[in-house]
Amino acid sequence: MPRFRLTLEYHGGAYVGWQRQQNGRAVQAALEEAIQALSGASVEVVAAGRTDAGVHARGQVAHFDLARDFTPDRIRDGLNFHLRDEAIKVLDAAIVPDGFHARLSATARSYLFRILNRRPPPVLEAGLVWHVPVRLDADAMHEAAQHLVGRHDFTSFRAAECQAKSPEKTLAHLAVRRAGDEVLITAQARSFLHHQVRNMVGTLKLVGEGRWSAANVKAALDRKDRAAAGPTAPPEGLYLMRVDY
Amino acid sequence: MPRFRLTLEYHGGAYVGWQRQQNGRAVQAALEEAIQALSGASVEVVAAGRTDAGVHARGQVAHFDLARDFTPDRIRDGLNFHLRDEAIKVLDAAIVPDGFHARLSATARSYLFRILNRRPPPVLEAGLVWHVPVRLDADAMHEAAQHLVGRHDFTSFRAAECQAKSPEKTLAHLAVRRAGDEVLITAQARSFLHHQVRNMVGTLKLVGEGRWSAANVKAALDRKDRAAAGPTAPPEGLYLMRVDY
């Protein structure tokens, strides 16, 4: 029974998130329906990360097992045919060893957060960025971000509903840079707590506005209290870019 | 009576083009209504280039006259307020001398054409790129493009409905490069014929696919016959990026 690995792109604004929910269409459900339409089989698809409603993916990874033999190209093109009316596409499909697990085998997850930092609201980037009209100091944000890199108890940046066993995570990389009218935040870790990237971004925005110093960010981390850090940035700026194995 | 210059961003997919038409909403009409809502005045707005239906702008320039004094910031923010439900935003507003004319004073127009060159259809770039699933050779396209640079009779790349007095234009720059899954074509000239960029892109695509050589492009130009060149690329990949004065 071959196991397939998919690399996926999707527009988070069209879905309630990766996982099946009562209140709307999930990426997982759309994908499982496409697999059923292609193969006749009812399967469960496991993703590297359960992205929230509104969060985009450029490189989500998922796996599933299929009794019938398909070539990877057939899987990719066949699923994209059945996904033609969905804001989800399969970028790549491959056959992987049975031991491969999209979530458990992942060694690193990379996210990008895009802020459109200009006074006029977005047009061409509508739904694809967080619009922040006040000028942000990206260099100050980058400097403050370095306090978060490394192994820490990230309780201050953890959603109340987070199901992780431990609030300790190792943040391998967190960088902020300006690219024209955009402020781009990149983050990489083996795994993240629920809302961790969005909570870090919401906190770094306070630094970019000049309301917080880098020392305030360090103090918020040390407090181990969600109320000590900044607000949660909205989902539409966040992209799951890549998962490494 | 102050003259204002606007720099505009818009999503071409929402409009029938810059110019007022019978068959739908034009960018010009939406903008003139916003000016009327802000100032009470019924004015005509003149643009640097009359972009076609579906063509986007990141730096369209337009001018209009207003009897009442407004600060440029008030014009920008006030128009963006009235344009809040439109896919049009004012990026910049400035007061310019009476002699300034958005179309006649322009010394250069810069366009970008984006091709998403991968097998899966676009998701996050839907409506913002031309999807070409067959792998394109961007280097070969760039080499062929150099035959079009310079002063030429561009009849082979001119729409039948083009109203320019002469088919002779000086193409200052035409470059093709790959950036990940995208093939980006940049073009600059004092002015272009109607559909010239899209007709050049449609022709260069034949080179990228290996169906045409650079010599075929040169021969098509020399024939001075629209039927000798390639098809017109679709509008959704085209962006008016900048106008120089």
Side-chain angles (χ1 to χ4, degrees):
Chain A
M1 185 130 110
R3 177 159 290 189
F4 289 94
R5 183 192 68 209
L6 303 178
T7 306
L8 301 165
E9 178 175 313
Y10 50 81
H11 191 302
Y15 301 95
V16 295
W18 170 265
Q19 203 164 16
R20 286 178 181 284
Q21 312 259 344
Q22 301 295 338
N23 61 333
R25 188 148 180 84
V27 177
Q28 183 187 12
L31 198 56
E32 290 174 356
E33 285 170 25
I35 294 168
Q36 181 146 30
L38 177 67
S39 70
S42 174
V43 302
E44 198 199 334
V45 181
V46 176
R50 295 174 192 161
T51 51
D52 284 315
V55 174
H56 313 296
R58 283 207 185 269
Q60 170 76 287
V61 174
H63 81 259
F64 65 96
D65 299 322
L66 217 52
R68 259 183 72 189
D69 258 331
F70 281 94
T71 66
D73 282 4
R74 179 83 204 289
I75 288 283
R76 180 198 60 205
D77 294 347
L79 291 181
N80 284 340
F81 172 77
H82 290 290
L83 290 166
R84 62 193 179 280
D85 296 328
E86 300 282 349
I88 306 170
K89 292 296 174 286
V90 178
L91 301 185
D92 185 68
I95 295 175
V96 286
D98 287 354
F100 176 88
H101 190 285
R103 183 160 52 84
L104 301 176
S105 308
T107 56
R109 291 162 172 87
S110 301
Y111 284 91
L112 166 69
F113 196 101
R114 293 173 64 186
I115 295 175
L116 182 64
N117 188 32
R118 69 177 194 191
R119 200 168 163 83
V123 174
L124 292 164
E125 279 80 22
L128 298 172
V129 293
W130 182 19
H131 177 229
V132 175
V134 179
R135 178 81 182 184
L136 297 174
D137 181 339
D139 292 338
M141 293 167 73
H142 180 76
E143 195 195 322
Q146 302 323 303
H147 284 300
L148 302 176
V149 174
R151 182 153 190 87
H152 301 288
D153 179 325
F154 281 100
T155 296
S156 300
F157 300 92
R158 179 186 197 180
E161 60 271 41
C162 181
Q163 291 170 15
K165 281 180 213 143
S166 158
E168 285 213 357
K169 293 286 174 190
T170 300
L171 184 61
H173 163 98
L174 185 63
V176 186
R177 67 186 173 90
R178 175 171 290 278
D181 274 347
E182 294 198 18
V183 173
L184 304 176
I185 298 136
T186 48
Q188 193 184 75
R190 183 179 184 91
S191 62
F192 289 90
L193 299 170
H194 194 198
H195 284 183
Q196 184 182 342
V197 177
R198 290 165 58 190
N199 290 340
M200 294 192 299
V201 169
T203 303
L204 292 175
K205 176 185 172 249
L206 298 173
V207 176
E209 292 171 320
R211 294 163 63 190
W212 273 35
S213 67
N216 292 139
V217 173
K218 174 80 170 73
L221 176 69
D222 292 343
R223 282 270 298 283
K224 301 180 181 58
D225 174 3
R226 177 70 194 93
T232 307
E236 64 263 29
L238 186 59
Y239 297 74
L240 175 52
M241 297 298 285
R242 207 178 72 227
V243 186
D244 293 319
Y245 293 91
Chain B
M1 184 130 110
R3 175 161 289 190
F4 290 93
R5 182 193 69 210
L6 303 179
T7 306
L8 301 166
E9 178 174 314
Y10 49 81
H11 191 302
Y15 302 95
V16 296
W18 169 265
Q19 203 164 15
R20 286 177 181 284
Q21 311 259 345
Q22 301 294 341
N23 60 333
R25 189 149 180 82
V27 177
Q28 184 187 12
L31 197 57
E32 290 174 356
E33 285 171 25
I35 294 168
Q36 181 146 31
L38 176 67
S39 70
S42 174
V43 302
E44 198 199 334
V45 180
V46 177
R50 293 173 193 162
T51 51
D52 284 316
V55 174
H56 312 296
R58 284 208 185 268
Q60 169 76 287
V61 174
H63 82 261
F64 65 96
D65 298 323
L66 219 50
R68 262 181 71 189
D69 259 329
F70 282 94
T71 65
D73 282 4
R74 179 82 204 290
I75 288 283
R76 181 197 59 205
D77 294 347
L79 290 181
N80 283 341
F81 173 77
H82 291 290
L83 291 166
R84 63 193 178 280
D85 296 328
E86 300 281 350
I88 306 169
K89 292 295 174 286
V90 178
L91 301 185
D92 184 68
I95 295 175
V96 287
D98 288 353
F100 176 89
H101 190 285
R103 182 159 52 85
L104 301 176
S105 307
T107 56
R109 291 163 172 87
S110 302
Y111 285 91
L112 167 69
F113 197 101
R114 293 173 64 187
I115 295 175
L116 182 65
N117 187 33
R118 69 177 194 191
R119 199 168 164 83
V123 173
L124 293 163
E125 279 79 22
L128 298 172
V129 293
W130 181 21
H131 178 227
V132 175
V134 178
R135 178 81 180 183
L136 297 174
D137 181 340
D139 291 339
M141 292 168 73
H142 179 77
E143 194 195 322
Q146 302 322 302
H147 284 301
L148 302 176
V149 173
R151 183 153 190 87
H152 301 289
D153 179 327
F154 281 99
T155 296
S156 300
F157 300 92
R158 180 187 196 178
E161 59 272 42
C162 181
Q163 291 170 15
K165 281 179 214 142
S166 159
E168 285 212 358
K169 293 287 173 190
T170 301
L171 184 60
H173 163 97
L174 184 64
V176 185
R177 67 185 172 91
R178 175 171 291 277
D181 274 347
E182 293 198 18
V183 172
L184 303 175
I185 298 135
T186 48
Q188 193 184 74
R190 183 180 185 90
S191 63
F192 289 90
L193 299 170
H194 194 198
H195 284 183
Q196 185 182 341
V197 177
R198 289 165 58 191
N199 290 340
M200 292 192 301
V201 169
T203 303
L204 292 174
K205 176 185 172 252
L206 298 174
V207 176
E209 292 171 319
R211 294 164 61 191
W212 273 34
S213 68
N216 292 140
V217 174
K218 174 82 170 71
L221 176 69
D222 291 343
R223 282 269 299 281
K224 300 181 182 59
D225 174 4
R226 178 68 194 95
T232 308
E236 65 262 28
L238 186 58
Y239 297 74
L240 175 52
M241 296 299 284
R242 208 178 72 226
V243 185
D244 292 319
Y245 293 92

